[in-house]
Amino acid sequence: MLSFLYRLIRDFQREHGLPHNVLHLNETHYHALRENLSQLGHEETERFLQLHIVLFREEMHPRVACQKPLRRRAAGDA
C-alpha cells in the first residue's frame, strides 16, 4: 500500500505541479494502510505521510489532492 501511495503522490506532483495535502481513502484501503503502519496511530500516520486522511465510503481508489486549508475565524470576525 505504501509503495502505491508514493507513486500516487509522485504522479500527482508531476501532473499538477502542486503540493499534496489530502489523501482520500475508503475504509478497506485505510485498514490496509494501517496494517502497513501498525506501529503508528492515526495522527502519526498523517504526519508520516504528510497528508490529512479523509475517509469516503464511495471512494473506489485512493487519491491525493491539494485542498486549500480552511481559514480560521479570528475572535473579532463576524
Side-chain angles (χ1 to χ4, degrees), residues 39-54:
Q39 72 280 11
L40 302 177
H42 177 81
E43 290 180 8
E44 289 96 355
T45 299
E46 288 185 324
R47 278 195 298 275
F48 176 76
L49 295 173
Q50 298 178 4
L51 294 166
H52 176 68
I53 298 171
V54 180

Side-chain angles (χ1 to χ4, degrees), residues 16-45:
H16 299 286
L18 297 170
H20 57 282
N21 61 1
V22 178
L23 173 62
H24 294 197
L25 297 172
N26 64 34
E27 291 180 20
T28 302
H29 292 123
Y30 180 71
H31 289 297
L33 175 62
R34 298 293 300 126
E35 285 180 12
N36 286 182
L37 299 172
S38 60
Q39 72 280 11
L40 302 177
H42 177 81
E43 290 180 8
E44 289 96 355
T45 299

